[in-house]
């Protein structure tokens, strides 16, 4: 039966079916895993590491993000002061490619070396002296799992998937009750607060905009980008960025398969009785609990949305970019 389905389908739709069946080639840039069980050994190594370097009066909190690049290859990004959103001052970071020797993956730079083994990174200075150990950490957003307050409109609840998926046009859910990408809410809004939880698939062979791409379109016209930009620069076309408008103040993207949150306050553009625009749309975005856009003005709708008329109410649109991004716990408080 599986082989018949494979032969009968072609293109993007066929590939998505292959992914769901677990038959796609893990060396293909489009290969995606939506579970730890299917992610493979590289996923276990990728992630965030944190600890203290030095001793006595000369100590430094330090964070490292290890990015899986496929085929057992990795890149590490080091953050003096701590991980993004947890102490990093955004002034300096250190990048290094990993070289595997047995069970150890070594990351070398002019500042020193980090040896990753058994879920921890041992750090050495430029002279080869051990200066500290970083342990793997699994951060969670402080708003993860936040319940919809009284009076909120619940758009999707993974505890009631069959009921709440009906709140979306083209609504689809996975076998485990998660909302799939490519949906538009039937209800429309003007001003309010949105809570959204999303999970990026693990796509180690993909790069750039091909890596776990979707988009959260507030009012159907202002895109807060959804992308696996874990460890990247944090640009306007990466996770937390408002596409074509502005980059996030800090890249707060967690590793793929970690649940992440957007908490967004939005205000529609204002018009007078003659149809003249009197105020631009404004948006505040918290990504995993950290403010990455603070009351930012938006001149006009971003590309790819469902509508460009800023004078009317608009829906929540979750873009389908051919990557299996998942969603749960979505609600809006109207203001």
């Amino acid at each position: 039966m599986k082989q018949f389905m494979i032969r009968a389908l072609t293109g993007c739709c066929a590939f998505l079916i292959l992914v769901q069946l677990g038959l796609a080639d893990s060396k293909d840039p489009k290969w995606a895993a939506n579970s730890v069980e299917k992610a493979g050994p590289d996923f276990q190594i990728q992630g965030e590491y944190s600890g203290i370097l030095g001793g006595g009066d000369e100590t430094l909190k330090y964070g490292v993000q290890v990015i899986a690049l496929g085929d057992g290859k990795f890149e590490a990004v080091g953050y003096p002061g701590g991980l993004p959103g947890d102490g990093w001052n955004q002034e300096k970071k250190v990048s290094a490619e990993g070289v595997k020797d047995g069970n150890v993956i070594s990351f070398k730079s002019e500042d020193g070396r980090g040896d990753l083994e058994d879920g921890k990174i041992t750090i050495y200075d430029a002279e080869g002296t051990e200066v500290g150990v970083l342990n793997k950490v699994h951060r969670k957003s402080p708003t993860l799992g936040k319940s919809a307050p009284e009076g909120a409109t619940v758009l999707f609840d993974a505890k009631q998937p069959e009921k709440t998926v009906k709140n979306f046009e083209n609504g689809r859910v996975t076998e485990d009750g998660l909302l799939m990408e490519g949906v538009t809410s039937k209800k429309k809004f003007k001003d309010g607060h949105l809570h959204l939880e999303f999970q990026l698939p693990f796509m180690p062979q993909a790069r750039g905009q091909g890596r776990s791409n979707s988009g959260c379109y507030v009012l159907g016209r202002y895109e807060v980008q959804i992308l696996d930009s874990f460890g990247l620069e944090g640009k306007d076309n990466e996770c937390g960025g408002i596409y074509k408008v502005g980059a996030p103040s800090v890249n707060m993207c967690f590793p793929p398969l970690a649940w992440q949150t957007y908490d967004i306050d939005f205000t529609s553009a204002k018009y007078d009785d003659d149809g003249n625009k009197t105020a631009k749309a404004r948006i505040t975005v918290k990504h995993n609990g950290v403010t990455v856009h603070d009351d930012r003005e938006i001149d006009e709708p971003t590309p790819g949305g469902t509508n460009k008329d800023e004078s009317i109410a608009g829906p929540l649109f979750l873009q389908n970019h051919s990557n299996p991004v998942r969603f749960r716990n979505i609600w809006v408080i109207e203001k």
Side-chain angles (χ1 to χ4, degrees):
M1 181 63 179
K2 290 182 179 179
Q3 295 303 318
F4 172 79
M5 291 173 66
I6 292 170
R7 290 193 298 269
L9 296 168
T10 59
C12 175
C13 291
F15 185 81
L16 291 177
I17 293 294
L18 296 181
V19 168
Q20 292 167 0
L21 293 176
L23 298 177
D25 184 358
S26 62
K27 295 181 181 293
D28 191 307
K30 293 182 180 179
W31 180 84
N34 276 112
S35 68
V36 174
E37 292 75 20
K38 294 181 179 179
D42 287 4
F43 173 78
Q44 303 298 334
I45 294 169
Q46 176 175 274
E48 297 188 310
Y49 298 77
S50 181
I52 302 296
L53 305 184
D57 295 332
E58 297 185 359
T59 60
L60 174 68
K61 187 175 181 179
Y62 204 84
V64 170
Q65 294 181 328
V66 176
I67 309 161
L69 302 176
D71 299 324
K73 298 178 182 179
F74 299 89
E75 181 180 357
V77 183
Y79 301 90
L83 292 164
D86 188 35
W88 180 48
N89 61 14
Q90 302 191 55
E91 293 180 0
K92 178 184 178 181
K93 59 182 178 180
V94 180
S95 297
E97 293 186 1
V99 177
K100 195 168 186 178
D101 183 7
N103 294 325
V104 179
I105 302 172
S106 291
F107 302 94
K108 298 180 181 180
S109 74
E110 62 182 13
D111 296 325
R113 183 179 93 247
D115 288 348
L116 194 164
E117 184 179 16
D118 295 333
K120 62 183 180 181
I121 302 176
T122 304
I123 304 293
Y124 301 86
D125 64 18
E127 285 71 43
T129 302
E130 181 179 330
V131 294
V133 175
L134 312 181
N135 292 303
K136 195 169 188 179
V137 296
H138 300 275
R139 292 193 288 173
K140 290 185 178 181
S141 167
T143 66
L144 189 67
K146 187 175 181 180
S147 299
E150 185 177 354
T153 298
V154 176
L155 293 178
F156 185 76
D157 182 352
K159 297 178 181 178
Q160 303 180 75
E162 298 302 328
K163 177 182 178 181
T164 53
V165 72
K166 297 177 182 178
N167 294 328
F168 289 89
E169 301 288 350
N170 195 37
R172 301 168 299 141
V173 296
T174 62
E175 290 184 358
D176 52 350
L178 301 176
L179 183 66
M180 300 171 71
E181 72 289 340
V183 298
T184 304
S185 69
K186 295 177 181 177
K187 186 172 176 59
K188 298 179 180 180
F189 310 91
K190 294 214 73 171
D191 304 327
H193 173 85
L194 166 69
H195 175 84
L196 172 81
E197 299 182 9
F198 63 95
Q199 183 192 60
L200 303 170
F202 181 58
M203 301 180 67
Q205 299 285 353
R207 299 291 183 270
Q209 296 295 294
R211 198 163 184 162
S212 308
N213 197 337
S214 180
C216 169
Y217 281 80
V218 180
L219 303 177
R221 49 184 174 261
Y222 311 116
E223 182 185 13
V224 182
Q225 176 81 321
I226 293 176
L227 188 82
D228 177 11
S229 50
F230 175 64
L232 301 185
E233 292 296 319
K235 300 178 180 179
D236 69 85
N237 63 348
E238 295 178 357
C239 206
I242 301 176
Y243 190 57
K244 298 290 187 180
V245 174
S249 59
V250 60
N251 179 7
M252 281 304 302
C253 189
F254 286 169
L257 298 186
W259 280 100
Q260 308 192 48
T261 60
Y262 278 156
D263 292 279
I264 302 173
D265 290 303
F266 56 92
T267 303
S268 297
K270 305 304 179 190
Y271 289 78
D272 61 22
D273 293 340
D274 296 324
N276 300 308
K277 190 174 181 178
T278 59
K280 298 176 182 178
R282 308 185 75 91
I283 192 168
T284 293
V285 180
K286 288 187 176 182
H287 185 188
N288 292 324
V290 176
T291 300
V292 296
H293 298 280
D294 189 6
D295 198 27
R296 181 186 286 273
E297 280 191 337
I298 303 180
D299 292 335
E300 59 185 5
T302 60
T306 63
N307 71 90
K308 293 185 178 298
D309 186 349
E310 294 186 282
S311 67
I312 63 175
L316 171 65
F317 168 50
L318 301 176
Q319 185 183 43
N320 182 355
H321 225 294
S322 301
N323 297 152
V325 178
R326 302 293 180 247
F327 303 89
R328 69 180 191 190
N329 194 20
I330 308 172
W331 46 264
V332 174
I333 304 171
E334 295 185 81
K335 297 181 181 179

